[in-house]
Amino acid sequence: RADTIPGGRDRPYRADAERLSDEELLGKLQTFAIDLDRPMLEALCRDALSAQEVAVRLMDLSATDPHRQESDWIWLSVLTLWQRWLPDQLCLETVDDQMQDGYAKSGQDPGAATDLWLQAWSGVLQLCDAAGITTIAGFDAQFPLTQSLFNWNQDLEMELGNAGLADPAKLQARLAVGEELAISFTDVDPLTAENWS
């Protein structure tokens, strides 16, 4: 969420889009000759895994130069509308938000941080299933997040262990995630697997 802090800059940030109404976001898209409504967005998102993927499709359909600096508004508008209108549908950017929000909470409230991270972990597994990914390296190559899955899964293991000191259910979750990691990814190194056990 580093891009959500407004300030002196030339490009729009997520906070700029989040302040706008649905109608204003649709109006932003119309400036790129993209006429979108809720049913159309739902159809576009149905088989997409990220707002970026949908934004690229819309840029391809738009007669506007996609290299215009303002073209960030296409992705920002799609992402904001997706998260408002389809909050239960998997979206790569939402998984990334859960990871980053978990980092923000990890110092003050490990329980809340791990709740967010367990949601993110579920999203990671869904993305892997949808994309046919069986390696951590493959996930990181296809889905560039703020944190790599390679690094984040180690932070998740540590935070679940810390939260488990106060909540035994987190230790059970830690064991379950460790098993899922070993089953889902063929490139888990022995030291990482040992840490999870």
Side-chain angles (χ1 to χ4, degrees):
R1 289 222 173 207
D3 60 344
T4 62
I5 302 170
R9 72 276 196 291
D10 296 328
R11 301 175 72 160
Y13 286 0
R14 286 181 62 181
D16 298 320
E18 289 165 359
R19 280 192 290 272
L20 298 181
S21 68
D22 296 356
E23 293 73 24
E24 289 171 318
L25 291 168
L26 293 172
K28 287 284 188 188
L29 290 171
Q30 287 175 344
T31 66
F32 296 93
I34 297 170
D35 287 315
L36 190 70
D37 59 20
R38 188 171 185 152
M40 290 171 61
L41 182 67
E42 289 175 359
L44 286 167
C45 295
R46 192 170 297 122
D47 61 347
L49 298 177
S50 72
Q52 180 65 32
E53 184 181 339
V54 173
V56 167
R57 287 187 207 167
L58 291 173
M59 285 182 207
D60 290 344
L61 297 174
S62 171
T64 309
D65 177 6
H67 302 293
R68 280 176 44 195
Q69 188 167 349
E70 301 85 11
S71 67
D72 288 345
W73 275 111
I74 298 173
W75 174 72
L76 292 169
S77 298
V78 168
L79 174 58
T80 305
L81 292 170
W82 183 330
Q83 291 182 327
R84 287 180 189 172
W85 293 348
L86 307 167
D88 296 326
Q89 183 171 332
L90 179 66
C91 176
L92 174 66
E93 291 87 352
T94 299
V95 173
D96 194 43
D97 288 348
Q98 291 165 341
M99 288 181 180
Q100 296 315 303
D101 291 346
Y103 277 110
K105 290 185 181 303
S106 63
Q108 310 93 3
D109 189 345
T114 54
D115 287 343
L116 286 165
W117 279 2
L118 289 170
Q119 291 175 31
W121 175 249
S122 177
V124 165
L125 294 179
Q126 289 177 60
L127 287 167
C128 288
D129 286 345
I133 293 173
T134 59
T135 64
I136 291 172
F139 183 94
D140 285 336
Q142 185 160 343
F143 299 117
L145 300 171
T146 305
Q147 303 291 328
S148 70
L149 179 59
F150 178 82
N151 290 330
W152 175 73
N153 89 79
Q154 296 171 62
D155 294 338
L156 173 59
E157 180 272 323
M158 186 173 58
E159 283 300 315
L160 283 169
N162 291 339
L165 297 174
D167 181 359
K170 299 295 179 166
L171 294 178
Q172 291 301 317
R174 182 178 171 274
L175 290 173
V177 172
E179 290 174 7
E180 290 169 340
L181 183 77
I183 292 168
S184 301
F185 301 102
T186 60
D187 61 344
V188 177
D189 66 76
L191 180 58
T192 300
E194 184 179 328
N195 288 341
W196 277 100
S197 60

